[in-house]
Amino acid sequence: MSQYTQPHQPQQPYAPTQTPGTRPARNGLGISALVLGIIGTVSGLIPFFFWLAGILGLIALILGLAGRGRAKRGEATNKGVTTFGAVLGLVSVILSVVGAVLTFKAVDDVVTDINKAVEDTSASAKPAAGGGAAGGTEGKGETLAAGDSAAYDDGLEVTVGDPASYTADEFAIGHTKGNSAYTVSVVIENKGKEKFDATLVSVDARAGEDGVNAEQIFDGTVGEGFTGTVLPGKKVTAKYAFDVPADAKNLTVEVGPGFEWDASQWDLKL
């Protein structure tokens, strides 16, 4: 009796164990730090953008340090980029601080200049030799008489003399036929330590009890006014002519040395 023998079945080989896949590098923090660091550094070089440089620089610095930690753990491969981004972040923060200091200083200087320009220099009355309408008192904001001086805090003194009748020539500008013309001498003496720019001096006048505007007369003799600079210890004189109604009994002359000084007034008898 033949015995049936089953053929030998080959043993199935075991499937090899699958190796886990390599994780992708996490380079996002380093790239972000670099981009923000570049933008922050550029912003720090632009005036009044120091605030943006500070914000972006701080974020870039934090992201750069975090990215370096990943690179040390082998989770990222851009250690150089991350380091450069962190450095740029630090530079942005420094530029932000410097920009803030310079901006605040510039604003403070502008405010100081504005306050200095707005703040007027007050004047006190200085009567003429031998007494005057001011009565020997030194008060601020009072009307002066002919020959009196307005003495300012910085050493500037303005003096207006007595009015004198004047005959304008036929080509004069500002003179109306039938009106009277008077000239007034204005003297500016610089007793201060700084030179004085006389080009900004303004001289106006009003005539009579009603304070009618007395128009300034310009001809070949009068009307030029003040020009140039008055050095310390020096004085300068200019003559002005005004058109006055024939029945006017007084002439009020107002002299303003400039934007930084109060204007002073003289009540002159005609």
Side-chain angles (χ1 to χ4, degrees):
M1 177 177 178
S2 64
Q3 186 177 5
Y4 177 74
T5 303
Q6 292 183 349
H8 178 72
Q9 296 293 333
Q11 186 176 3
Q12 295 293 333
Y14 291 101
T17 304
Q18 184 177 4
T19 59
T22 305
R23 297 180 62 183
R26 302 171 63 188
N27 296 331
L29 291 180
I31 296 175
S32 299
L34 178 63
V35 173
L36 294 179
I38 293 175
I39 299 176
T41 302
V42 174
S43 300
L45 299 176
I46 302 176
F48 302 107
F49 275 79
F50 62 89
W51 56 272
L52 181 60
I55 296 174
L56 297 181
L58 184 60
I59 297 175
L61 181 60
I62 295 174
L63 294 180
L65 295 177
R68 282 180 55 85
R70 282 186 178 180
K72 289 181 179 181
R73 295 191 299 269
E75 300 176 3
T77 59
N78 59 345
K79 182 178 180 180
V81 172
T82 302
T83 302
F84 191 50
V87 172
L88 288 180
L90 181 60
V91 172
S92 300
V93 172
I94 296 175
L95 290 177
S96 174
V97 175
V98 174
V101 172
L102 294 178
T103 300
F104 292 147
K105 186 178 184 304
V107 172
D108 182 68
D109 290 343
V110 171
V111 172
T112 301
D113 291 340
I114 293 176
N115 290 336
K116 183 178 179 181
V118 173
E119 182 179 353
D120 292 330
T121 301
S122 59
S124 59
K126 185 177 181 181
T137 61
E138 291 193 1
K140 296 181 180 181
E142 62 184 272
T143 302
L144 305 176
D148 291 346
S149 299
Y152 291 86
D153 299 338
D154 58 356
L156 192 69
E157 286 191 7
V158 180
T159 306
V160 176
D162 288 296
S165 296
Y166 179 72
T167 301
D169 62 34
E170 57 180 335
F171 301 106
I173 299 174
H175 180 56
T176 302
K177 187 177 181 179
N179 284 355
S180 301
Y182 290 90
T183 59
V184 174
S185 293
V186 180
V187 180
I188 294 179
E189 185 173 3
N190 185 4
K191 295 183 178 180
K193 298 180 180 180
E194 302 291 336
K195 62 183 181 180
F196 171 72
D197 185 5
T199 58
L200 297 180
V201 175
S202 63
V203 179
D204 301 295
R206 296 182 295 276
E209 295 181 357
D210 296 333
V212 178
N213 181 58
E215 189 172 355
Q216 185 176 347
I217 299 173
F218 297 88
D219 60 15
T221 305
V222 296
E224 181 179 358
F226 289 101
T227 59
T229 302
V230 184
L231 297 177
K234 301 296 183 180
K235 65 173 63 177
V236 63
T237 303
K239 183 176 290 187
Y240 293 81
F242 296 100
D243 186 62
V244 179
D247 59 348
K249 302 300 182 181
N250 70 297
L251 181 67
T252 301
V253 177
E254 181 175 281
V255 180
F259 298 118
E260 300 179 13
W261 293 265
D262 289 331
S264 299
Q265 296 182 345
W266 284 259
D267 188 16
L268 311 178
K269 303 301 180 181
L270 299 179

